[in-house]
Amino acid sequence: MNSPLRSSELWATAADPELAVTTRGAVPPADVTRAVRGIGRVLRRHHLDAAARVRVTAPVDADEPTLVQANIRIHDTPTRVQVTGPRGFAVTFAVERLDRQIARLATKQSREWPDPARPPLARVTEPRPIARRKHCALLTGTPAEATAVLNAMDYDAYLFIDAETGEDAVVSWADSLGIRMARQRTTTAPEAAVDRPLTANSLSVLMDAQPAPTLIEEVAVTRLCRKGLPFLFFTDADTGRGRLLYRRYDGDLTIVVPVD
């Protein structure tokens, strides 16, 4: 009987040298094999000669779900899927989601929302720690360009710099009919929407009527957790820059911090 892989390890095969699987925690070897075969099969089906990076994270508690993330590039466009599931099934879910993601992007379709395969991580808890800080150089662009990244990377919310105002802003999935956009200060619709409704990737864009709140991190953490929010966009009181705080699958938090 094979023993589970307990340390963080990187796996690749001679047959698929551009497909690497990183494991974290007690990941069964069968899941590594399933990931290599499944992701490789999807790439061949879509005639993609692209490198793929897959991460399989097993929880400490065997009753908790396994997290699988797959990253590829489609014609120089970064693409990602992330999904959870029971041990033995999570990799299969990720393979199926990647297959659908590639097909959607090829036909310029947007992700369905609400997403039955990945409901928002919104629940009321006591304040949780910020387990990761993602220091990112933000895209400067239009709502449509930000929405394209939101869609391709399988994000629920995406922090960027609004080209029209120069303010940090966020786009997120509003409902099955559109995208929601929030800026740090400006709440009026972009100039492109003066004569007609603003759209991004054929979806309507709903402007948030309230500017982003100005908070210190500790208050932002408390607000997100105690109000059961999946994410919180706010202006950092110390730096004046926008921040995106969101809940991870393990219940802790990640914060996206802009860098110049």
Side-chain angles (χ1 to χ4, degrees), residues 62-101:
D63 293 330
E64 293 295 318
T66 295
L67 173 65
V68 182
Q69 178 177 302
N71 291 267
I72 65 171
R73 297 185 73 88
I74 302 177
H75 308 305
D76 295 326
T77 299
T79 303
R80 184 198 79 147
V81 295
Q82 184 171 266
V83 68
T84 62
R87 178 176 295 183
F89 292 93
V91 171
T92 300
F93 294 165
V95 170
E96 294 172 347
R97 191 175 185 88
L98 181 62
D99 192 19
R100 294 193 300 271
Q101 176 86 324

Side-chain angles (χ1 to χ4, degrees), residues 137-159:
L138 302 186
L139 163 77
T140 299
T142 65
E145 290 169 330
T147 298
V149 177
L150 177 81
N151 194 32
M153 294 298 288
D154 209 14
Y155 293 146
D156 292 341
Y158 178 62
L159 180 66

Side-chain angles (χ1 to χ4, degrees), residues 166-227:
E167 298 175 25
D168 295 325
V170 159
V171 288
S172 61
W173 299 103
D175 52 33
S176 58
L177 301 177
I179 297 293
R180 182 173 298 279
M181 177 179 172
R183 299 192 188 103
Q184 287 183 280
R185 295 172 293 277
T186 305
T187 58
T188 55
E191 291 181 359
V194 171
D195 298 322
R196 59 183 179 179
L198 183 66
T199 60
N201 295 59
S202 300
L203 298 173
S204 61
V205 177
L206 312 174
M207 282 301 305
D208 201 318
Q210 299 295 326
T214 299
L215 307 169
I216 60 173
E217 275 189 10
E218 292 81 1
V219 174
V221 166
T222 299
R223 180 175 297 191
L224 179 142
C225 292
R226 291 187 172 165
K227 289 191 174 184

Side-chain angles (χ1 to χ4, degrees), residues 89-124:
F89 292 93
V91 171
T92 300
F93 294 165
V95 170
E96 294 172 347
R97 191 175 185 88
L98 181 62
D99 192 19
R100 294 193 300 271
Q101 176 86 324
I102 295 172
R104 281 195 309 99
L105 295 175
T107 56
K108 300 187 183 303
Q109 297 180 23
S110 293
R111 173 181 163 192
E112 293 183 0
W113 188 264
D115 188 340
R118 208 181 69 191
L121 296 172
R123 59 181 183 271
V124 177

